[in-house]
Amino acid sequence: MEKLNSVHELYKLPSTPEEQVKVLSTILDIPLHLSRGYESASVDAMCATILYRHLGRADRMAAMRVIRATGNPVLSERLAQRAFDTIINPQWHIWSLTNDELKKDLAFHKKFDDIAAKIGFSASAIGAKDLAKAALNQKRLGKKGWSTIVIWATVYFNSSELSKAQGELKNRTSLNEGSKYH
């Protein structure tokens, strides 16, 4: 599949398959040892996984053949599951987002983080410690206490999503160039 080259452009992958596998394994959160001995097939399969959501029906079938041809059934299964996950919910795997989707996601989480900071909520460990102390000091947690916990948890979740989006932004060295698929 010639479309796999767009992933090489998107992440500016190194020249050797061994180094490419290291980068792609980190992006896809796949244990590196699963690719040992199958580096070339693994690189193509990982690229097919990243592109899967953006492909048409015929290309998805071709991509799945590439994913299933890694030589390691455990690796193939993990990559296939990640590919299917992106169809269900692209947010589960931020690497499946297009550049525009990633930019919008980042803008949303930054705006949410700014608003939370303005009203005095932060996702810091100190904030969690203070919240836990307040909850322990009260024998019973009332509506106010539960509301505070829900708000803090939401701010914390947003903060972790913001970190994920910023990490993906760093991974994508060609964000402004884009590719046909991203």
Side-chain angles (χ1 to χ4, degrees), residues 10 15 27 36 40 53 63 74 76 79 97 120 138 148 159 161 168-169 182:
L10 184 68
S15 58
I27 291 167
R36 283 210 185 95
S40 284
R53 177 175 163 249
V74 175
S76 292
L79 293 175
L97 299 179
Q138 298 176 353
T148 303
S159 177
E161 290 297 304
E168 179 62 16
L169 186 66
H182 273 80

Side-chain angles (χ1 to χ4, degrees), residues 67-123:
I67 291 168
R68 295 289 183 197
T70 63
N72 182 338
V74 175
L75 174 63
S76 292
E77 188 57 36
R78 290 209 183 165
L79 293 175
Q81 185 61 52
R82 280 173 174 67
F84 292 138
D85 285 351
T86 65
I87 302 300
I88 297 166
N89 186 351
Q91 289 291 326
W92 289 347
H93 301 296
I94 200 159
W95 44 259
S96 75
L97 299 179
T98 64
N99 286 339
D100 289 339
E101 289 170 335
L102 181 61
K103 288 175 187 176
K104 287 177 186 173
D105 192 57
L106 200 55
F108 170 80
H109 291 298
K110 279 183 181 177
K111 190 172 192 174
F112 188 96
D113 200 46
D114 290 344
I115 291 169
K118 285 180 183 173
I119 61 173
F121 282 96
S122 74

Side-chain angles (χ1 to χ4, degrees), residues 18-182:
E18 293 80 14
E19 293 300 314
Q20 291 172 352
V21 163
K22 285 180 185 176
V23 171
L24 292 170
S25 291
T26 302
I27 291 167
L28 294 170
D29 193 27
I30 298 286
L32 188 57
H33 73 275
L34 292 177
S35 299
R36 283 210 185 95
Y38 309 101
E39 282 83 1
S40 284
S42 296
V43 168
D44 288 345
M46 290 178 184
C47 290
T49 302
I50 290 170
L51 288 177
Y52 191 80
R53 177 175 163 249
H54 307 283
L55 302 173
R57 185 175 181 271
D59 287 334
R60 280 187 184 165
M61 289 171 44
M64 195 50 64
R65 280 192 295 276
V66 169
I67 291 168
R68 295 289 183 197
T70 63
N72 182 338
V74 175
L75 174 63
S76 292
E77 188 57 36
R78 290 209 183 165
L79 293 175
Q81 185 61 52
R82 280 173 174 67
F84 292 138
D85 285 351
T86 65
I87 302 300
I88 297 166
N89 186 351
Q91 289 291 326
W92 289 347
H93 301 296
I94 200 159
W95 44 259
S96 75
L97 299 179
T98 64
N99 286 339
D100 289 339
E101 289 170 335
L102 181 61
K103 288 175 187 176
K104 287 177 186 173
D105 192 57
L106 200 55
F108 170 80
H109 291 298
K110 279 183 181 177
K111 190 172 192 174
F112 188 96
D113 200 46
D114 290 344
I115 291 169
K118 285 180 183 173
I119 61 173
F121 282 96
S122 74
S124 67
I126 294 171
K129 185 179 173 185
D130 290 342
L131 184 61
K133 272 186 188 177
L136 289 174
N137 286 340
Q138 298 176 353
K139 299 292 182 211
R140 192 173 144 255
L141 211 54
K143 287 180 185 177
K144 223 183 209 182
W146 281 110
S147 298
T148 303
I149 289 173
V150 168
I151 291 170
W152 185 86
T154 303
V155 170
Y156 179 80
F157 175 75
N158 181 70
S159 177
S160 69
E161 290 297 304
L162 178 60
S163 294
K164 273 189 350 187
Q166 288 170 333
E168 179 62 16
L169 186 66
K170 287 178 186 173
N171 287 338
R172 292 189 186 185
T173 54
S174 62
L175 186 64
N176 295 322
E177 298 166 27
S179 71
K180 182 178 177 185
Y181 302 98
H182 273 80

